[in-house]
Amino acid sequence: MTSSTPAGPRGRERRQRDSRVGDKIFMNLSRGSGILLLVVMAAIAGFLTWRSGIALSKNEGNFLTTFEWTPDAPKPVFGIAVLAFGTIVSALIAMVIAVPVAIGIALFISHYAPRRIAQPFAYLVDLLAAVPSIIYGLWGALFLVPHLSGLNSWLDEYLGWTYIFDQSRAGTTPRNLFTVGILLAIMVLPIITAVSREVFRQVPRMHEEAALALGATRWEMIRTSVLPFGRPGIISASMLGLGRALGETIAVAVVLSSSNVLSLHLLDPGGGTFAQNIALKFNEAQPFGRDALMASGLVLFVITLLVNGAARLIVARRKEYSGANA
């Protein structure tokens, strides 16, 4: 008994020392991973900037306002006006459609549906995120495009006065930015739904019970307690979905009939996006043409970084997302 008494404190000291060593190793590994990520991002940005500088130095047109894309011509002329317009417009259409639907699904799963229904339904929505982009593209080209002809005709007939829904070439196949926006909305729906659902579940239970105790209906409780708390999370989820919509490649390339014409008629075929243009023209492009594609990729890279950075800033403003106060 007397010999085991000093062993106890020594054993605890040894365990504490081993724990401190493990903490230091984990901290250094985490720090190294973060530094490695920054190095990789800086390397990507540096590479894109270098190749973009080569292309822009020989460009005969204005990179920001030119519609044409002929970098491999004797006099290279290329610009991102059509690509930027198509990328932003299709992503905005996707957000207008997906955000309200995603919020409704998230509220249904977290506050309305019984548990036996909510869990399978949430699992089904999450499965949409696992579907490959090419499958969405094939479904969009073979099913969505043929079945949107009627909707396009209806929009042209009743909303054509808005100009953006005025179809200048009636009866054309709806391989347009509007169809791409609908397809992107379906693709980003699980991302926005999943993040919004988790944010709604972190609303302090006491807030909800207090609202119900004061006589509020379920919708009034959601409107006064759940939505104000989850507003930053909804915004950040929408921005994450927007980042996915901006960079989608294969599905857009399969559905959209690309052209170098910039038209405000969303129901007319044509247009293009950054990612789609890179995917379609990279293999056939010559070395200088690939440098031009790198220049457009740099613009998309910057836009995506800004969108995701804004989402992170919004999330960082709310410490409640840690779950400590839930």
Side-chain angles (χ1 to χ4, degrees), residues 7 27 32 90 110 167 206 280-281 288 307:
M27 181 184 67
S90 61
S110 60
Q167 195 173 17
M206 292 185 297
L280 293 180
K281 297 183 177 179
F288 184 79
V307 169

Side-chain angles (χ1 to χ4, degrees), residues 245-281:
L246 290 172
E248 184 53 48
T249 304
I250 299 301
V252 178
V254 173
V255 171
L256 183 62
S257 178
S258 62
S259 69
N260 293 329
V261 178
L262 192 154
S263 175
L264 297 179
H265 300 289
L266 299 183
L267 302 183
D268 288 342
T273 66
F274 287 114
Q276 177 229 23
N277 186 61
I278 294 173
L280 293 180
K281 297 183 177 179

Side-chain angles (χ1 to χ4, degrees), residues 178-194:
F178 182 71
T179 303
V180 171
I182 295 176
L183 182 62
L184 291 177
I186 299 173
M187 297 180 69
V188 304
L189 185 67
I191 300 175
I192 304 175
T193 301

Side-chain angles (χ1 to χ4, degrees), residues 135-157:
I135 302 301
Y136 279 112
L138 293 175
W139 176 80
L142 300 177
F143 179 84
L144 189 61
V145 169
H147 287 80
L148 282 182
S149 298
L151 177 60
N152 283 14
S153 301
W154 185 88
L155 291 174
D156 179 38
E157 181 178 357

Side-chain angles (χ1 to χ4, degrees), residues 136-261:
Y136 279 112
L138 293 175
W139 176 80
L142 300 177
F143 179 84
L144 189 61
V145 169
H147 287 80
L148 282 182
S149 298
L151 177 60
N152 283 14
S153 301
W154 185 88
L155 291 174
D156 179 38
E157 181 178 357
Y158 293 99
L159 296 178
W161 56 269
T162 61
Y163 188 80
I164 61 174
F165 290 121
D166 180 22
Q167 195 173 17
S168 61
R169 289 175 288 174
T172 56
T173 304
R175 292 182 174 271
N176 47 46
L177 293 177
F178 182 71
T179 303
V180 171
I182 295 176
L183 182 62
L184 291 177
I186 299 173
M187 297 180 69
V188 304
L189 185 67
I191 300 175
I192 304 175
T193 301
V195 177
S196 300
R197 183 181 71 239
E198 294 306 316
V199 171
F200 293 155
R201 285 178 175 174
Q202 292 186 24
V203 177
R205 189 66 179 175
M206 292 185 297
H207 293 185
E208 299 180 3
E209 294 176 351
L212 294 174
L214 291 174
T217 63
R218 181 173 297 184
W219 164 241
E220 290 173 339
M221 178 270 293
I222 291 174
R223 183 170 56 86
T224 58
S225 299
V226 177
L227 292 180
F229 180 90
R231 186 178 296 114
I234 295 172
I235 296 174
S236 62
S238 302
M239 288 189 174
L240 291 176
L242 179 60
R244 167 74 186 275
L246 290 172
E248 184 53 48
T249 304
I250 299 301
V252 178
V254 173
V255 171
L256 183 62
S257 178
S258 62
S259 69
N260 293 329
V261 178

Side-chain angles (χ1 to χ4, degrees), residues 82-158:
V82 175
L83 305 179
F85 176 81
T87 300
I88 294 174
V89 168
S90 61
L92 289 179
I93 294 173
M95 291 297 102
V96 170
I97 298 173
V99 172
V101 176
I103 294 174
I105 295 174
L107 288 174
F108 173 76
I109 294 173
S110 60
H111 287 83
Y112 283 95
R115 183 176 296 272
R116 66 178 183 276
I117 298 177
Q119 290 182 347
F121 194 72
Y123 180 71
L124 180 63
V125 173
D126 292 341
L127 278 179
L128 291 175
V131 178
S133 297
I134 185 62
I135 302 301
Y136 279 112
L138 293 175
W139 176 80
L142 300 177
F143 179 84
L144 189 61
V145 169
H147 287 80
L148 282 182
S149 298
L151 177 60
N152 283 14
S153 301
W154 185 88
L155 291 174
D156 179 38
E157 181 178 357
Y158 293 99

